[in-house]
Amino acid sequence: GSMSKYWSDLVSELKPYVPGEQPKMANLVKLNTNENPFGPSPKVIEAIQRELNDSLRLYPDPEGQALKDAIADYHVDFGINPKQVFVGNGSDEVLAHIFQGLLKHDKPILFPDISYSFYPVYCGLFQIESAVIPLTDSFEIDPNDYRRDNGGIIFPNPNAPTGRYLGLGHVEDILQANPDSVVVVDEAYVDFGGETAIRLVNQYPNLLVCQTLSKARSLAGLRVGFAVGNEELIEALNRVKDSFNSYPLDRLALAGAVAAFEDKQWFEDSCSGVIRERERVTRELETLGFEVLPSKANFVFARHPGHEGAEIAAKLREQGIIVRHFNKPRISDFLRITIGTSDQNNALIKGLDAL
């Protein structure tokens, strides 16, 4: 456009991330952005309400110390101390600091060909070389494919958009084969049936684990993410953060996030509710002839042998049901379907049945 003469060369070349659509239509069955169907803990709401006072004129704690303490405390069985925790404005911001502070080296970083589509975007923004490693024919990560020269490795576990989980023994294979590289395990969906690699950080100084409160703790609207790892890795992230924005988490986010970690019962009930519905939706989809990849996330990745993914997505949309379709090689016939409330899931199955 006419303004682009003011742009830096970098901006002209960027290919930005496209977030899942947030349509404005009423009464939608919205199963496209992996939001949790169950709301946040009432204790989170109470904690935020207590913070709504005159102290909003004061800056929040730039260290987010209360939250780091809460996260370390939550993982006390794994011997995590608060200096091993980094907090940020959603895991996307934490990932941005990881890319800039730990993954920008002379050699290309490795990530799966079918993965979180923000990774190539960050490579563009921070000018990091990358090499994509194809998933196997059954859409799994094969640790043997990551035994090659690299400047770092990152993958989601469970992977997105496939939902497949890589057991911690296989994660260890990747860590052991790459002692000189940072291995980032992005665990946005781990609480829906996976096991966190945080239990491994004290064994592997090259391991960094990233998590979010957006999914299992139902706080996508609050923007809180964190990373756990060796103190040396965390220090790199702190240096980048303090060269960028000293106060990424506001008073409300800090208070709400601490409360979310304290209410373990709500969290466990919410996760098991999602898992229960995921298993039911998987069975129903299979009955309708879909192939559904085994998922440990709050979504399923499914394709139908008789119909194109885009076509099913468009026909569901006509019924007010929104799912995510990726027009990309290898996966264009798949739909990524968020697990909703049982009513939403019933509407989905009914809609598909009608097709």
Side-chain angles (χ1 to χ4, degrees):
S2 59
M3 294 298 287
S4 59
K5 68 174 182 180
Y6 298 117
W7 291 6
S8 69
D9 290 345
L10 175 65
V11 172
S12 316
E13 290 160 20
L14 291 180
K15 295 180 180 64
Y17 176 75
V18 181
E21 189 192 359
Q22 297 283 3
K24 301 290 185 278
M25 299 140 62
N27 306 323
L28 271 188
V29 177
K30 188 171 168 310
L31 302 175
N32 68 326
T33 48
N34 298 342
E35 289 144 325
N36 195 315
F38 309 114
S41 159
K43 291 180 179 165
V44 171
I45 313 294
E46 287 160 25
I48 291 173
Q49 281 167 338
R50 281 196 301 275
E51 280 296 314
L52 287 170
N53 57 49
D54 183 60
S55 67
L56 286 181
R57 67 192 178 80
L58 303 170
Y59 283 103
D61 172 13
E63 300 305 316
Q65 196 57 51
L67 179 53
K68 289 178 184 175
D69 291 347
I71 292 168
D73 191 50
Y74 185 84
H75 297 99
V76 69
D77 293 353
F78 307 147
I80 302 300
N81 75 64
K83 287 197 170 96
Q84 292 175 285
V85 182
F86 178 81
V87 294
N89 189 254
S91 59
D92 286 334
E93 183 188 77
V94 176
L95 287 166
H97 295 335
I98 290 169
F99 271 74
Q100 201 167 23
L102 294 168
L103 296 178
K104 188 172 181 174
H105 300 289
D106 293 337
K107 296 170 183 169
I109 67 164
L110 312 179
F111 48 81
D113 62 336
I114 299 162
S115 193
Y116 186 26
S117 48
F118 226 130
Y119 302 158
V121 174
Y122 283 140
C123 288
L125 179 60
F126 299 121
Q127 303 184 303
I128 298 167
E129 252 189 284
S130 63
V132 296
I133 307 291
L135 296 177
T136 65
D137 290 343
S138 52
F139 298 101
E140 289 171 278
I141 289 172
D142 182 345
N144 292 319
D145 296 336
Y146 290 81
R147 294 175 182 273
R148 48 175 282 188
D149 218 19
N150 65 75
I153 294 171
I154 183 167
F155 56 91
N157 197 29
N159 194 13
T162 64
R164 296 201 79 136
Y165 175 71
L166 185 68
L168 288 189
H170 293 306
V171 173
E172 284 197 78
D173 292 339
I174 294 175
L175 286 161
Q176 288 164 4
N178 294 278
D180 300 324
S181 297
V182 176
V183 177
V184 183
V185 183
D186 180 356
E187 293 186 337
Y189 301 102
V190 76
D191 296 308
F192 300 110
E195 190 185 4
T196 178
I198 290 175
R199 63 167 63 244
L200 301 174
V201 297
N202 286 325
Q203 281 167 262
Y204 297 97
N206 59 328
L207 169 63
L208 190 67
V209 182
C210 192
Q211 287 193 13
T212 178
L213 277 68
S214 295
K215 313 292 182 194
R217 292 174 201 278
S218 309
L219 290 172
L222 208 58
R223 314 309 307 125
V224 182
F226 64 96
V228 182
N230 177 288
E231 280 184 39
E232 213 178 300
L233 300 181
I234 299 302
E235 181 52 27
L237 300 181
N238 283 323
R239 288 175 66 115
V240 174
K241 168 226 165 206
D242 286 326
S243 306
F244 178 72
N245 175 8
S246 302
Y247 304 100
L249 286 174
D250 61 67
R251 287 176 169 270
L252 309 184
L254 287 168
V258 167
F261 277 102
E262 285 167 357
D263 195 347
K264 287 187 182 163
Q265 194 57 56
W266 184 271
F267 164 74
E268 283 163 15
D269 292 348
S270 176
C271 291
S272 56
V274 170
I275 291 168
R276 199 166 51 242
E277 280 294 302
R278 179 185 70 212
E279 288 170 357
R280 179 174 78 90
V281 168
T282 299
R283 285 195 303 274
E284 299 268 16
L285 287 173
E286 287 173 344
T287 304
L288 290 170
F290 280 85
E291 174 197 355
V292 186
L293 296 189
S295 171
K296 292 275 190 228
N298 67 337
F299 58 85
V300 291
F301 205 48
R303 67 178 162 193
H304 198 285
H307 300 273
E308 287 178 3
E311 176 202 354
I312 303 176
K315 287 188 171 162
L316 283 174
R317 194 188 179 87
E318 286 165 17
Q319 305 178 56
I321 301 165
I322 311 282
V323 297
R324 189 100 195 243
H325 174 253
F326 297 91
N327 189 15
K328 292 188 174 164
R330 295 187 73 188
I331 57 168
S332 60
D333 279 336
F334 279 90
L335 298 173
R336 193 195 70 189
I337 304 169
T338 303
I339 301 304
T341 61
S342 55
D343 287 351
Q344 289 178 315
N345 299 333
N346 291 342
L348 166 80
I349 298 302
K350 202 173 150 218
L352 286 169
D353 205 20
L355 301 182

